[in-house]
Amino acid sequence: MQPDKRPENMQRIATPDLAEAFIAEQLAAIQAQVGERKVLLALSGGVDSSVVAALLIKAIGKQLVCVHVNHGLMRKGESEQVIEVFRGQLDANLIYVDATDRFLDKLAGVAEPEQKRKCIGAEFIRVFEEEARGLEDIEFLAQGTIYPDILESGPVKAHHNVGGLPDDMQFELVEPVKLLFKDEVRVVGRALGLPESMVERQPFPGPGLGVRCLGAITRERLECVREADAILREEFERAGLAGKVWQYFTVVPDFKSVGVRDDARSYEYPVIIRAVNTVDAMTAEIECLNWALLQKIASRILAEVPGVNRVLYDLSPKPPATIEWE
Ligand code: XMP
């Protein structure tokens, strides 16, 4: 296992050549650590877990068991992409769990933001644990821990995705990218042949769209956030802004306002657009979006997303706002 501290002379992995050298080194290290035994990985589809999965598939093939839990709070097309890339292209041993109903049932009526996070985190662990218990001979747990996770929170990835497993399910950890910074993980992911949309994926909170569907989550508003987010991402892509703006998304609050549709009064939800730039997420500036682009996105959301009658652009930097609304 590698140390928890990045050696002072460790070169920044910034080029494909350096990435290839890193990959070769890690393949040997993983094979030496794991041998013929089996490894389990919670594959969220985020950059870190995807790169770890691709590395392990290359190193040990089907000895890696990936579990992708769809908590129903993913963005449009994300779980499908995980299945297509890992099962379709990389021939991974992938277990796909659609736990949407389970999560949404648990979340029904839960409005307090921290309570929602806890509920999503706890349910995630429960689902993952159930899957893990059904498998035999697993001795290792792979994690997409990266260096900032170690610097911020000690040696185990402190994300809301996988908070930890019960005491009787202790595995030895496999953490091949734990000494890398995010930009280096992306370079390695590219060298491993992962699609650009996965390697360049913007940050996405563990609780997913759950923190962008404000208050108690309903299926109706969750669909509004998801569809509006898909339109926003599509238009950013077309405008060449994907990968340039740090984070952008939509939010749907839990109130309606009056509007007019088909010559009659209607009460429908607003969609809020947020687009920010930051270096470390501690402070953030808003992206000065082109007016014509904003208008285009707004008119598409109003025309294509059922139940929405207003679109707003959030002009608040962090501080005093935060990046997310909850
Ligand atoms: P805030 O809203 O605190 O967000 O300005 C800073 C960055 O952290 C992300 N974020 C989260 N990530 N679980 C996560 O894994 C969470 O509960 C969570 N809340 C915020 C946010 O998207 C932004 O990039």
Side-chain angles (χ1 to χ4, degrees), residues 117 159-160 203-207 212 246-247 281 318 322-324:
R117 276 191 171 72
H159 272 176
H160 297 244
F204 187 55
R212 298 174 183 169
W246 198 79
Q247 197 173 12
K318 175 182 181 176
T322 48
I323 295 177
E324 302 288 346

Side-chain angles (χ1 to χ4, degrees), residues 194-213:
L194 287 176
E196 199 55 28
S197 57
M198 203 168 239
V199 171
E200 270 304 327
R201 203 174 95 139
Q202 47 171 322
F204 187 55
L209 298 179
V211 293
R212 298 174 183 169
C213 182

Side-chain angles (χ1 to χ4, degrees), residues 40-217:
L40 181 65
L41 169 75
L43 176 60
S44 68
V47 183
D48 307 335
S49 66
S50 297
V51 170
V52 167
L55 257 177
L56 279 147
I57 290 163
K58 212 170 168 142
I60 56 168
K62 298 251 159 110
Q63 283 164 253
L64 173 72
V65 184
C66 302
V67 177
H68 175 68
V69 177
N70 178 358
H71 50 23
L73 307 167
M74 307 288 285
R75 288 175 291 197
K76 191 171 181 174
E78 274 184 323
S79 286
E80 290 81 356
Q81 188 188 36
V82 169
I83 295 170
E84 148 64 17
V85 170
F86 288 96
R87 200 179 274 163
Q89 295 174 24
L90 300 179
D91 195 27
N93 200 347
L94 170 68
I95 298 173
Y96 170 67
V97 189
D98 183 356
T100 303
D101 289 341
R102 229 176 121 155
F103 275 84
L104 295 187
D105 288 350
K106 272 262 150 51
L107 283 162
V110 182
E112 203 277 312
E114 282 314 307
Q115 203 52 40
K116 281 166 75 177
R117 276 191 171 72
K118 278 196 192 124
C119 180
I120 296 165
E123 195 58 16
F124 188 94
I125 291 168
R126 224 168 283 137
V127 175
F128 186 65
E129 188 199 329
E130 281 173 22
E131 291 303 320
R133 284 199 197 279
L135 299 167
E136 281 176 6
D137 307 327
I138 303 276
E139 291 185 39
F140 297 87
L141 181 72
Q143 291 204 130
T145 312
I146 64 171
Y147 204 47
D149 298 324
I150 293 182
L151 296 177
E152 283 159 25
S153 58
V156 174
K157 189 149 185 135
H159 272 176
H160 297 244
N161 323 30
V162 188
L165 288 167
D167 285 344
D168 66 329
M169 293 192 75
Q170 286 307 320
F171 300 107
E172 190 179 317
L173 294 179
V174 180
E175 299 177 297
V177 298
K178 75 174 174 185
L179 296 183
L180 303 192
F181 288 100
K182 196 78 173 194
D183 54 306
E184 299 179 296
V185 178
R186 294 192 209 275
V187 178
V188 171
R190 232 169 253 126
L192 285 164
L194 287 176
E196 199 55 28
S197 57
M198 203 168 239
V199 171
E200 270 304 327
R201 203 174 95 139
Q202 47 171 322
F204 187 55
L209 298 179
V211 293
R212 298 174 183 169
C213 182
L214 306 186
I217 297 169

